[in-house]
Amino acid sequence: MDYNLLYKKMFILMFLTAPSFAAAASMPIQATTNSFGSAVLELHTDELVTMTALPFRLILHDEAGRPVTGAKVDCELSMPTMAMPENRPKIVERDGAYAGEMILTCTMGDWRMACVATQADGHRQTMSFDLGTARLR
C-alpha cells in the first residue's frame, strides 16, 4: 500500500472539509465624514454580500482619543444613487463599542451607512461610512 499517497489524500480531504476561519475576517472602514473625534466601522466579514446578516462594530473616540461610551447610536443604510426602503440596524453597546448586524438588499450600487451617536449630555457625533457594492449571495 502506498502510504504517501494515502496521507496526501487524507490531507487534501481534511483541508477541503475543514471550516474556514477566514470568514471571521474584519474589514475596518474609516468614517468619510465625522463631526468630531474618530469613528471606525469594523465589518466582520471578508466580503459584502446581499441578504446576509453582516455583523459589525462601531468604535467611537472623542477629540481627546477617549472611547465614547453610554451613547444612543442610530444608523441608517442607504444607496446614494437610488431610493431604498428604510434600513436601520439595531445597535447595542457591547465591550466598549456599538454592535449590530446589517443586511444589504441590492447589488445595483454602492452602500453608505450614516450614524448619529447622542451622548447623555446631548452632545452629538454624526458620521458616515462608504461601504462599497455588495455582490449576490
Side-chain angles (χ1 to χ4, degrees):
M1 177 176 242
D2 185 358
Y3 286 103
N4 285 334
L5 181 60
L6 178 64
Y7 289 132
K8 287 178 186 177
K9 287 181 180 180
M10 287 175 41
F11 176 78
I12 291 171
L13 181 62
M14 287 177 19
F15 178 79
L16 292 176
T17 59
S20 172
F21 296 103
S26 177
M27 293 172 46
I29 301 171
Q30 292 287 332
T32 53
T33 60
N34 189 9
S35 60
F36 77 93
S38 66
V40 175
L41 177 67
E42 288 181 350
L43 295 176
H44 296 281
T45 183
D46 49 359
E47 64 181 331
L48 297 175
V49 293
T50 61
M51 305 312 290
T52 301
L54 303 172
F56 66 87
R57 282 178 17 124
L58 181 59
I59 303 164
L60 307 176
H61 290 91
D62 64 15
E63 299 93 340
R66 295 179 300 249
V68 173
T69 58
K72 179 183 182 304
V73 177
D74 295 303
C75 296
E76 182 172 11
L77 292 157
S78 65
M79 294 182 77
T81 59
M82 65 176 35
M84 297 295 291
E86 186 176 282
N87 189 340
R88 295 180 180 267
K90 179 182 174 189
I91 311 292
V92 296
E93 187 172 358
R94 185 180 308 135
D95 300 325
Y98 300 88
E101 289 184 337
M102 67 175 69
I103 297 178
L104 306 176
T105 57
C106 183
T107 63
M108 309 252 328
D110 288 341
W111 282 92
R112 178 175 294 152
M113 187 159 113
C115 301
V116 176
T118 306
Q119 297 178 2
D121 64 2
H123 196 232
R124 292 172 60 131
Q125 180 177 3
T126 60
M127 66 224 78
S128 65
F129 303 89
D130 291 331
L131 306 179
T133 303
R135 71 165 184 81
L136 285 174
R137 173 169 69 134

